[in-house]
Amino acid sequence: MESGGKGWLHGSLLFYIVCALALFSSRVTGQIRYSIPEEMPVGSFVGNIASDLGLEPKRLISGKARVFTSDSSEYIGLDKENGHLVVKNKIDREELCGEISACSVSFDVIFDNPMELYRVTVDIQDINDNSPIFPKSKIEQEISELAVLGARFPLESAIDPDVGVNTLQKYTLQPTDHFKLNVQNGAGGNKNVEMVLHSPLDREKKKHHNLVLTAFDGGKPQRSATVQINIIVLDVNDNAPVFSQSSYKTSVVENAPKSTIVTKVSATDADESSHGIQYYFEHATSAVKALFSIDADSGEVKVIGDIDYEKHKQFTVKVKAKDHGGLTDSSEIIIDVIDVNDNTPKITIMSFSSAVSEDAAPGTVIAMINVQDLDSGDNSKITCSIDLNSPFKIVSSLTNYYNLVTESELDREQTAEYNITITAVDGGNPPLSSKEILNLKISDVNDHAPQFEQESYKAFIAENNPQSTTILTVKAEDMDWGPNAKVSYFLIDGDLNGAPLASYISINSETGVIYAEKSFDYEQLKSFKMQVKAQDGGSPPLSNNVTLNIIIQDQNDNAPQVLYPVQTGGSVVAEIVPRAADVGYLVTKVVAVDVDSGQNAWLSYKLQKATDRALFEVGLQNGEIRTVRQVTDKDAVKQKLTVVVEDNGQPSRSAVVSINVAVADSFPEVLSEFTDFTHEKQYNDNLTFYLVLALAVVSLLFIVSVISIISVKIYRWRQNKLFYKSGANLPVIPYYPPVYADGTLQHVYNYEMCGTTDSRMSDMKFVRPYSQNTLVSQSRLGTVQREKKEQEVDDLTLEVRLSLISSHCSNRSFRS
């Protein structure tokens, strides 16, 4: 044992020297080699791969280092904590490699993130753990007494599964009175043992000879085996069979059908009974006995089992010929197995990233693949490929190793998932192939901004809307996925009429629904524009803007406003109609406006009440009050009209105006009726004094006015009808062209209003502002035309202007 330990120590030193050389080369080639003896206990140290590869131990953990073997048999394991390779399963060299002297196991150490691969080979050194074994514990040999000196008698060799010096080295034979040993090396490296007769046998002296054959191996300690040889001395037969060939070489195709004849051996015997030769296998292994048989009479060797090239590439079989006299001869049959392409390539995915980012650069490794074919020659030459028209390609890294890498840029929005079919085809005829499908998902990158469904939005909302009324919904789509496609909506800050936009409008950030934060008034705000931003949830986020045009729709929320005649609480305005007025005489014109728009501002005029409905009518569209018949003496001087101004809204709104009309030709008559008008009003008792005073002043002025009127009448009588045409003292009734039939004024008008102290009596006349001359001229022209048609109408027109001492006048203007 001590000497054995020293030998192992020397072997270990040699082993480490070899490992050091292998390590130096592995850094260049990606391969490393170790050497260990067989039968080492599980957990035994093989080598420090982290140190040999120049890696930090933490790299093994962060890189998820693991051992990969193509045949799924792991003899060597990896301890990632300290970077040691250790024995994982007990290794029996004889079971692993059989008679092959050079025995090794190869595996790959794979790292992820980034992917790396190192080929490791561990040589398995033989130890002398097997003793030689003879096939039989006892050998019986029949030898004729006439056997000539030098006759050879083959013996069954011992078997030692070990290799090298540990296998069978020598034989000894005891006793050696008649026989000695002759050991020869066979064609397959085996030792053929023969007994050679060196002294004559005499059956009559000794019929049986007992010999002991011992086989020794070369291991330390040395092992041996013995077999008893019982020699029976026969009489007469003095010629042994002789094979036609010292060895037979043949071949057989793997998977050959049973009963296929592999070869035929033959031997001849000089004796007359040569036909009695028998053939049989000598010391056949269990594999040979399971696959082949030999016909004892004919010497034909046939197939009786399933031959597999991948298990056995060659067989060496010893065959013996024996005659009826017990003489024998030996030969050997070497059977080469011819490979047939009966194994499909095996695809093994060593490492695979099931998801890759769409912005991965070309050349990114997706998977590492190992492809093996157990056949040989062209049958094991493999071509590996993937589907065409895909953004991936497969490249070879080492022999039978491939990397699946990206070839071009990826776009998840076009293709979110790939089923990549990897095809391996061997070089056989016909070729065999296998496929492996990898499902690869493309992870999203935020490379698309949200896109609105419309380039711009237009929405309508009626005025006077309730708070939180929904105006519209904007929608944006994002082609990305997951959080990158989650769209949020925001209002872009801005001002509207000096107030923040957010005080008018709000938006739901998730749904894009836009609400009104306040009630809109069309008369103040008719439309406005705003911008909405759609932003995704990526990092960094991407966004897009869209413009919204919000239009306020008018509602009929304003009643018409009467501009003329002016309604006052303290004075009465009377329109004068001479009794000579003809049909169609223009009494006055009601002027009204509506601040609404559209049909809500279309005004119509209706006569609601009148003292005499048969005397007056009002224009439906223009509000002109005209006579509908000839004024007669029977008509009352005092006429009161009530006109309703109504818009066209739904529902409609209206305004009422009261108009006092005096039908008279003389001023006293007008004054009397005008006074009656005033009595209809309710006045404060505190004004009684002022009323009496005003009455006295009016009486005085009346006398002066009558005198003045008579003087003027005489003068104007001479001017014939020109007095009426001049219209200097007539109340000016504004006339509006048809374009303003809807009651909306487009120009500025001035009027002069004079009122008494007690405001019981007042007067109003329109003066000529801006373009008023044209309007007045048109009114006068119409009057002249009427005068010409009716010659019997008096030219005289009374102009009544009541003014008191405390009266005051003011110029006012109005615009619609």
Side-chain angles (χ1 to χ4, degrees), residues 497-519:
N497 293 338
L501 185 62
S503 64
Y504 289 85
I505 295 294
S506 66
I507 187 170
N508 188 310
S509 61
E510 295 183 356
T511 63
V513 178
I514 297 176
Y515 302 95
E517 286 297 312
K518 62 186 299 182
S519 180

Side-chain angles (χ1 to χ4, degrees), residues 393-538:
K393 66 178 179 179
I394 193 165
V395 295
S396 176
S397 56
L398 298 173
T399 303
N400 296 332
Y401 288 87
Y402 297 89
N403 289 337
L404 178 65
V405 300
T406 57
E407 185 178 22
S408 59
E409 294 182 351
L410 305 175
D411 189 349
R412 190 205 65 83
E413 287 69 39
Q414 292 186 359
T415 306
E417 185 176 351
Y418 290 92
N419 286 322
I420 306 171
T421 301
I422 301 172
T423 303
V425 182
D426 62 23
N429 187 16
L432 299 179
S433 64
S434 59
K435 294 183 178 181
E436 186 76 20
I437 298 177
L438 300 180
N439 181 264
L440 178 65
K441 291 180 172 56
I442 309 301
S443 58
D444 186 57
V445 173
N446 191 28
D447 55 350
H448 289 85
Q451 296 295 325
F452 284 95
E453 294 178 344
Q454 302 180 25
E455 293 184 359
S456 62
Y457 289 84
K458 178 183 288 187
F460 297 87
I461 182 171
E463 66 172 330
N464 303 318
N465 57 283
Q467 190 176 1
S468 301
T469 299
T470 299
I471 300 177
L472 80 160
T473 301
V474 295
K475 183 68 174 177
E477 297 289 343
D478 196 311
M479 296 176 64
D480 294 319
W481 181 82
N484 295 332
K486 181 176 176 57
V487 180
S488 300
Y489 303 90
F490 305 95
L491 290 178
I492 295 181
D493 295 336
D495 294 335
L496 183 60
N497 293 338
L501 185 62
S503 64
Y504 289 85
I505 295 294
S506 66
I507 187 170
N508 188 310
S509 61
E510 295 183 356
T511 63
V513 178
I514 297 176
Y515 302 95
E517 286 297 312
K518 62 186 299 182
S519 180
F520 293 102
D521 187 354
Y522 173 82
E523 286 69 41
Q524 294 183 3
L525 181 65
K526 294 180 173 55
S527 67
F528 63 92
K529 291 184 178 181
M530 56 180 286
Q531 283 195 322
V532 172
K533 178 171 73 173
Q535 179 175 293
D536 60 27

Side-chain angles (χ1 to χ4, degrees), residues 143-149 151 153 197 199-201 236-238 327:
I143 302 175
S144 173
E145 65 175 338
L146 298 180
V148 295
L149 298 179
F153 302 94
L197 183 64
S199 65
L201 297 176
V236 178
N237 189 23
D238 55 355
L327 298 179

